[in-house]
Amino acid sequence: MIGALDGAAGAWDTLYLGNVAAQSRTVAAAIGLMEGRGWPVVTRARSAMVMETGGEWEDFRRGLGRTVRTMPRKLRGLERRGAVRFEPGLTGEAGGAALEQMMDLYRRRWGAGNWLEDPAYRELLRRMRAAHDPHGARVAGLWVDDHPLAFQLIFRQGDRDQSLLVAADRSPEWSKQSPGMMLDY
């Protein structure tokens, strides 16, 4: 990822990394790249949910909060509304198409002025996904009757997955199903 950013350095002037562990090698490399060029660096840390996925499924489930434990019931509710499709690892053309749906959903969710309104940011995400396809980047998605409900853009770093961007349909029609949480689940 850092190589792709460095190669396109003249095309961007702001780098936003969301949902990335503050101590990750990705953040350290990005900061090193910017500092090496003499560019200002501003970081803002906030708590993020980290899901430890080692061990057995039932051990993992027991450690989840009540809200997440209700996901099977919410999934059954979605299944009553239509055909549920979950894709955990879209790459290639399918990953590119899912990324486009994800960016559209994000833009609808956050409205005018969100960072993906800028075509340069959208192009950056397209190029980053393509540069790391297929083993370092994928898009996960959740649909009901081909209606896009939630997406994640996921980058692989060693043996860990990092969620770079999340988009979920929070419209009144779908918000009770918590599509973003369901995709995580």
Side-chain angles (χ1 to χ4, degrees):
M1 179 173 95
I2 299 305
L5 287 173
D6 193 30
W12 58 275
D13 62 4
T14 303
L15 175 63
Y16 170 82
L17 294 175
N19 298 320
V20 178
Q23 301 304 318
S24 78
R25 293 178 301 221
T26 300
V27 171
I31 289 172
L33 169 69
M34 289 180 279
E35 287 176 342
R37 292 179 178 267
W39 296 345
V41 175
V42 177
T43 59
R44 181 181 67 181
R46 59 183 174 167
S47 297
M49 181 175 78
V50 174
M51 298 173 78
E52 186 55 56
T53 56
E56 298 296 319
W57 174 248
E58 285 307 317
D59 295 334
F60 170 73
R61 252 187 125 271
R62 276 192 293 275
L64 298 174
R66 182 184 181 284
T67 304
V68 178
R69 285 194 310 262
T70 64
M71 287 298 119
R73 186 185 69 215
K74 289 182 185 238
L75 179 59
R76 288 189 299 273
L78 274 185
E79 289 169 339
R80 285 190 293 273
R81 295 182 71 176
V84 174
R85 180 169 57 111
F86 166 67
E87 298 286 349
L90 294 169
T91 60
E93 287 183 31
L99 178 64
E100 294 301 321
Q101 286 186 313
M102 176 177 169
M103 290 188 293
D104 289 345
L105 183 59
Y106 187 97
R107 292 168 68 197
R108 281 194 311 271
R109 163 74 169 96
W110 293 106
N114 76 76
W115 69 285
L116 281 179
E117 287 297 299
D118 184 339
Y121 284 130
R122 293 192 305 274
E123 186 60 22
L124 173 69
L125 289 178
R126 289 179 189 114
R127 288 182 182 199
M128 284 174 53
R129 190 210 61 82
H132 291 87
D133 192 60
H135 302 293
R138 68 183 190 277
V139 179
L142 174 67
W143 295 261
V144 170
D145 286 340
D146 292 324
H147 176 80
L149 289 183
F151 296 95
Q152 285 185 335
L153 175 58
I154 302 164
F155 284 94
R156 189 89 172 141
Q157 184 180 45
D159 61 349
R160 295 184 63 147
D161 285 339
Q162 307 259 345
S163 176
L164 181 66
L165 181 64
V166 176
D169 188 335
R170 298 288 296 156
S171 66
E173 181 182 2
W174 297 103
S175 64
K176 287 191 177 225
Q177 276 75 33
S178 305
M181 287 182 66
M182 201 172 306
L183 182 62
D184 279 337
Y185 177 77

